[in-house]
Amino acid sequence: MGHLPELIRDLALILISAGIFTILFKWLKQPVVLGYIVAGFLAGPHFHSLLADLASRLSSEDIPIASYLEKLPSVSDMANITTWADLGVIFLLFALGLEFSFKKLLKVGGQASIATLISMVSMIVLGFVTGKLLGWSEMDSIFLGAMISMSSTTIIIKVFNDMNLQKTKFANIVFGMLIVEDLAAILILVLLSTFAVNRHFEGREFVGSIVRLSFFIFIWFVVGIYLIPTIFKKLKSFLNDETLLIVATGLCLGMVMFASSVGFSSALGAFIMGSILAETIESMHIEKIVEPLKNFFGAIFFVSVGMMMDPKPIVEFAPIVLLLTAVVMTGLVFFAIVGILASGQGLRVAILSGFSLSQIGEFSFIIATLGMSLGVISDVIYPIIVAVSVITTFATPYLIKAAPSVADYLESHVPARFSRLVTGYATSDYKVVNKQNEWNRLLKNILIQVAIYFTISVAVMLICKFALIPFVTDNISGFLGRLVAAVLTLTLMSPFIRAMVMKKNTSEEFKTLWADGHFNQGALISMIILRIALAVALVSTVLFPLFETARALLIVIALTVIIGFLYSRNLKKQSRRIEARFLENFTQKQIYDEKRAAIPSKVASDMLAKDIHIEEFEISPNSPIIGKTLQELQFKQRTGVSVITILRGNRKINIPGAREYIYPCDKIVVSGSDEELKRLDAAIGTGSRSDEAVHEEIPQHHINLSQFEIESDSPFVGKTIGDLRLREKTETLIVAIERDGKSIVDFHADFKFCVGDTLLIAGEQEKLDRFVENIIAK
């Protein structure tokens, strides 16, 4: 037999260790992520060397401990494991992108953004200052600030599921902040990669990186939304689970490759492709089939984190570990509370949310891994930050449990003049509604349209500059080649240039302002002229490098081209068709979800503003409420919630009556407060959490087979199956009849039995034993 490759041997050791500690940590009711880290440490080289050092001190000639310990298995090739871990990061961020959408970011609104911005910026500054006070280098301090600025999405979701808090009001705020944090984390990863190479920060370079990053994200998103949903729609009949998995994974790795080729991180490419696919109707399906890949490679990543944890620096720098733990837990909790209060929420919600965000996790490991791979941070930082993460993760459930008591104490001691702090400004009765005037709406729409179409035009121009123009000029020499290249480039840019100049010039706001006086007309004409000037600049940028003609003449030509674009009906139709396709693809999932939803999202938002939550619960097949009517269940009396809708397959039962039954896999849509929803969840026993094993009862009755031969004195002789009413009397079923050596399986109720027939009967054993007795008795 051939030699087993080290990769397979190492992977077997990783997965066996991870499996054992996953079960152990589930039994201990601790986050599985910590189990992976411990498994990685025990399978890694640092633990092996630690054992070897210990054994060499204890061993003697009579007890050769060292020789035994050296035979313990350990990962031998860390380079391979690093590659697997890189794949883990890619699939973790791809799955994160699938759960993220730009519309979801808009939905969580400014409140989550304000709270997250205050928290993250404060923690980055606090981490940097702490690092400098500890005597660390500037780069170490910068990375420290980034590592401690983000809470762990994985751990918070796990703890909320374990504690049954995922449907509470403060959980929604936490999830909104995590969405913004995840997006900010991608930006931080890209910026740290850029700045780590240059080893210094410059304002101009920082702004340039932000602009460049924003440009590429926007282009990727626009092109992806325009193409991918359309392709999926046309190929829908071919996209079964297998094909969709291959296509989605290929798109993810393709974007990873493209992002790396233009100077961005692979993590960014994976996240962007996930967020693009999140806007398709197939997003839920893709998320489901990609989950095993995410779990598999993600486990390897967290195991690799444990392998890189060296216990010697942790012991040596134990005071620093404890100091950073205190800084993380105190800082994250305090600044999260301040941010949430600043966003307008009440004191209790802020405290419950802040105490939930008290840990660091997966992104801290990813940032630390980035710093290690680039060689810009000290080796001791990695094990220190892992130790801090482990401690803060263990403390998270206890902080969440302590939060209500802290909230009760603080609410009772807040002075009366600060009562608005308790209730929150966002839920205050003194809201001021600002009605935007026509100018505000028009300027906002025009700025958005100009930004979108200008960016697309620049992207098309850059593609033509590096691909189309060199190809044309290499194959067609002289003036003719340059002319053809210019015409092709401007033709490709023309729909977007026209839309940039003309969009919103016929809108209702524009017409209203135009009719309002000469001053408005002058201002509107000035806006059009500015957009035309921007278009001329774009066209001139294409023409100047290709022709040596006087610049003034080229500008005149550019202006003439723009005027031609504006009066072209074909371009008008084409630009509208492109925009319609994009908007259709961008909104198709939202429209699809709205159609499937029991309650429109606007109604749900209005009710949430009044602290009434709308939630959907899927009824597990093992739920104790199966087969009962709403009258029997008395949800309102027992839990306080009101059942609004029952979703059964494609059927909606709105405002169900008291005699409506609950069936397995029904989805009930209910309204109620946080506490009422928690009581309902406990009452119905959803049992739908993916991370918990489902224990099913083994059926006590099985179907067996038995033979029965008809003799001359049998009551079966001369009777038909219908005459005897076998199924009703015996609760058994005849599956075959043997006659004259032949087996008859196609028979009907008028089949007449004869002497010598042999019946093959199926049924429960108890019924088979009483077969003849039941025939005679009944």
Side-chain angles (χ1 to χ4, degrees):
M1 184 175 178
H3 178 68
L4 188 67
E6 291 182 348
L7 175 63
I8 298 177
R9 177 183 172 277
D10 290 344
L11 186 60
L13 179 60
I14 287 173
L15 295 180
I16 291 172
S17 303
I20 292 172
F21 281 92
T22 295
I23 295 171
L24 176 62
F25 272 67
K26 278 184 173 289
W27 178 64
L28 294 174
K29 296 183 178 179
Q30 295 297 328
V32 176
V33 173
L34 296 180
Y36 290 145
I37 294 174
V38 173
F41 170 68
L42 296 179
H46 295 298
F47 180 70
H48 195 265
S49 62
L50 184 67
L51 285 179
D53 292 342
L54 180 63
S56 63
R57 297 177 183 177
L58 300 177
S59 62
S60 64
E61 294 182 358
D62 299 328
I63 309 175
I65 299 177
S67 62
Y68 291 109
L69 292 180
E70 287 176 355
K71 295 179 181 179
L72 289 175
S74 176
V75 170
S76 57
D77 191 345
M78 284 299 295
N80 284 330
I81 302 307
T82 302
T83 302
W84 287 85
D86 290 340
L87 284 172
V89 174
I90 287 171
F91 283 108
L92 279 172
L93 290 173
F94 180 56
L96 181 65
L98 285 170
E99 297 172 2
F100 173 88
S101 73
F102 289 93
K103 290 194 288 290
K104 186 185 290 186
L105 179 61
L106 295 175
K107 184 178 179 181
V108 299
Q111 292 184 358
S113 300
I114 291 171
T116 305
L117 181 65
I118 292 174
S119 176
M120 289 190 69
V121 171
S122 301
M123 287 303 297
I124 290 173
V125 173
L126 179 62
F128 179 80
V129 172
T130 303
K132 297 299 289 184
L133 291 175
L134 291 172
W136 291 5
S137 68
E138 185 175 86
M139 193 61 69
D140 286 348
S141 301
I142 291 169
F143 269 80
L144 176 64
M147 283 186 279
I148 69 172
S149 65
M150 288 167 284
S151 302
S152 171
T153 302
T154 303
I155 292 169
I156 290 175
I157 291 175
K158 179 69 173 64
V159 172
F160 277 8
N161 284 339
D162 290 344
M163 300 180 69
N164 198 25
L165 297 172
Q166 65 271 31
K167 296 185 183 298
T168 57
K169 179 180 179 180
F170 82 88
N172 291 329
I173 294 172
V174 171
F175 290 148
M177 292 182 65
L178 291 175
I179 291 171
V180 181
E181 275 191 5
D182 292 338
L183 185 60
I186 299 297
L187 179 63
I188 288 174
L189 282 175
V190 176
L191 294 178
L192 287 178
S193 301
T194 303
F195 299 142
V197 174
N198 297 325
R199 303 290 182 115
H200 64 278
F201 283 79
E202 292 183 358
R204 181 180 299 177
E205 183 178 317
F206 179 80
V207 173
S209 297
I210 293 289
V211 172
R212 182 166 165 264
L213 174 64
S214 302
F215 174 79
F216 274 100
I217 289 177
F218 179 81
I219 292 302
W220 287 336
F221 182 74
V222 169
V223 174
I225 291 296
Y226 184 79
L227 293 178
I228 291 177
T230 302
I231 295 172
F232 276 11
K233 191 183 300 182
K234 293 183 180 297
L235 301 179
K236 187 175 183 179
S237 59
F238 302 101
L239 296 177
N240 57 10
D241 284 0
E242 178 184 357
T243 307
L244 191 58
L245 174 62
I246 299 301
V247 170
T249 307
L251 289 172
C252 170
L253 296 179
M255 181 62 81
V256 165
M257 183 176 64
F258 184 74
S260 299
S261 67
V262 296
F264 292 110
S265 67
S266 57
L268 175 65
F271 179 82
I272 290 296
M273 182 49 67
S275 63
I276 291 171
L277 294 177
E279 303 297 343
T280 65
I281 294 177
E282 289 79 11
S283 60
M284 296 286 289
H285 192 187
I286 295 173
E287 187 177 344
K288 181 179 179 182
I289 61 177
V290 168
E291 186 174 9
L293 278 178
K294 179 197 75 171
N295 293 338
F296 178 78
F297 287 108
I300 294 176
F301 168 73
F302 288 117
V303 170
S304 71
V305 168
M307 288 181 182
M308 298 178 71
M309 187 169 65
D310 189 351
K312 293 178 182 178
I314 295 178
V315 175
E316 182 180 353
F317 297 99
I320 295 178
V321 171
L322 295 177
L323 172 63
L324 289 180
T325 300
V327 169
V328 167
M329 295 179 65
T330 305
L332 282 175
V333 171
F334 176 76
F335 290 120
I337 291 174
V338 171
I340 294 169
L341 288 173
S343 70
Q345 295 296 329
L347 182 62
R348 171 172 288 272
V349 171
I351 291 173
L352 296 178
S353 303
F355 275 54
S356 303
L357 297 164
S358 59
Q359 73 299 116
I360 56 175
E362 58 274 8
F363 267 114
S364 302
F365 305 147
I366 294 171
I367 292 173
T369 304
L370 173 67
M372 294 283 289
S373 64
L374 294 174
V376 296
I377 63 173
S378 304
D379 293 339
V380 297
I381 293 181
Y382 195 96
I384 287 175
I385 208 67
V386 171
V388 172
S389 173
V390 170
I391 297 172
T392 55
T393 298
F394 273 118
T396 297
Y398 303 102
L399 285 174
I400 294 176
K401 289 178 182 178
S405 300
V406 175
D408 291 337
Y409 176 81
L410 291 178
E411 283 184 338
S412 62
H413 288 76
V414 171
R417 64 179 180 275
F418 296 119
S419 60
R420 293 276 294 279
L421 187 67
V422 176
T423 59
Y425 294 94
T427 55
S428 173
D429 293 329
Y430 302 99
K431 289 184 178 181
V432 178
V433 179
N434 289 322
K435 183 180 179 182
Q436 290 183 318
N437 58 35
E438 285 80 3
W439 268 116
N440 288 338
R441 288 196 296 270
L442 182 63
L443 287 174
K444 178 182 177 182
N445 291 331
I446 287 178
L447 287 175
I448 292 173
Q449 296 285 346
V450 169
I452 290 173
Y453 288 109
F454 177 79
T455 306
I456 298 174
S457 300
V458 171
V460 174
M461 182 177 62
L462 291 175
I463 293 172
C464 293
K465 178 181 178 181
F466 293 107
L468 178 64
I469 294 177
F471 175 79
V472 172
T473 53
D474 288 344
N475 289 276
I476 305 175
S477 60
F479 177 81
L480 181 60
R482 297 195 300 273
L483 180 62
V484 171
V487 170
L488 291 176
T489 302
L490 293 176
T491 300
L492 293 174
M493 295 172 61
S494 59
F496 310 110
I497 291 177
R498 186 194 183 280
M500 182 182 68
V501 176
M502 296 299 293
K503 282 293 178 183
K504 298 300 176 181
N505 289 348
T506 58
S507 63
E508 291 300 322
E509 295 89 353
F510 191 97
K511 293 177 181 178
T512 302
L513 291 170
W514 184 268
D516 199 28
H518 295 294
F519 176 79
N520 283 346
Q521 291 174 5
L524 293 172
I525 292 173
S526 299
M527 290 171 54
I528 296 174
I529 292 174
L530 287 174
R531 286 190 279 168
I532 291 175
L534 195 59
V536 170
L538 284 172
V539 176
S540 300
T541 306
V542 175
L543 297 178
F544 284 177
L546 291 172
F547 302 101
E548 298 177 356
T549 313
R551 296 294 173 90
L553 178 59
L554 288 178
I555 292 175
V556 172
I557 294 173
L559 184 59
T560 304
V561 170
I562 296 299
I563 294 173
F565 288 168
L566 299 182
Y567 285 95
S568 172
R569 292 187 176 181
N570 289 332
L571 284 182
K572 181 179 180 180
K573 292 180 180 179
Q574 189 175 355
S575 63
R576 286 186 173 181
R577 185 168 62 249
I578 292 172
E579 184 176 357
R581 171 67 63 81
F582 177 83
L583 292 175
E584 179 186 355
N585 289 345
F586 186 64
T587 59
Q588 66 174 352
K589 185 174 185 293
Q590 181 180 356
I591 294 172
Y592 177 76
D593 291 341
E594 286 286 350
K595 288 180 179 178
R596 294 180 67 250
I599 294 178
S601 56
K602 185 179 184 306
V603 176
S605 299
D606 292 341
M607 297 182 73
L608 186 61
K610 297 177 174 58
D611 206 21
I612 300 174
H613 298 263
I614 304 294
E615 292 292 345
E616 182 179 296
F617 291 83
E618 183 170 355
I619 307 301
S620 166
N622 301 315
S623 174
I625 70 172
I626 295 295
K628 296 181 179 180
T629 64
L630 294 179
Q631 184 175 11
E632 294 174 302
L633 295 170
Q634 295 185 333
F635 284 142
K636 186 67 176 177
Q637 292 80 357
R638 292 170 54 198
T639 67
V641 303
S642 300
V643 179
I644 300 172
T645 299
I646 297 177
L647 303 176
R648 186 170 297 152
N650 293 327
R651 182 185 173 200
K652 288 182 185 178
I653 306 172
N654 292 324
I655 318 300
R659 296 186 180 181
E660 191 66 51
Y661 285 87
I662 299 295
Y663 294 104
C665 299
D666 276 355
K667 294 178 182 178
I668 60 172
V669 181
V670 300
S671 65
S673 65
D674 285 347
E675 291 300 321
E676 291 169 348
L677 293 175
K678 288 174 63 177
R679 288 197 293 268
L680 175 67
D681 193 39
I684 65 180
T686 52
S688 60
R689 297 172 191 159
S690 59
D691 58 341
E692 296 181 356
V694 178
H695 303 283
E696 298 181 356
E697 295 184 0
I698 299 176
Q700 299 299 313
H701 302 285
H702 300 279
I703 298 295
N704 291 325
L705 293 175
S706 180
Q707 288 186 334
F708 177 77
E709 186 175 353
I710 298 178
E711 300 176 350
S712 58
D713 59 345
S714 171
F716 284 69
V717 177
K719 299 288 185 65
T720 66
I721 296 176
D723 295 336
L724 295 171
R725 295 188 295 120
L726 292 177
R727 183 176 296 190
E728 292 86 347
K729 290 183 178 181
T730 66
E731 298 181 49
T732 61
L733 178 68
I734 299 175
V735 295
I737 302 171
E738 292 186 2
R739 176 178 290 178
D740 299 331
K742 297 180 179 180
S743 181
I744 305 172
V745 294
D746 186 14
F747 50 84
H748 302 282
D750 57 354
F751 184 89
K752 186 176 292 186
F753 295 112
C754 299
V755 176
D757 287 349
T758 300
L759 311 183
L760 186 62
I761 307 169
E764 296 176 7
Q765 189 59 53
E766 180 185 357
K767 302 296 191 299
L768 294 174
D769 294 339
R770 299 172 59 86
F771 178 74
V772 176
E773 182 181 340
N774 287 335
I775 285 288
I776 297 173
K778 297 180 181 180

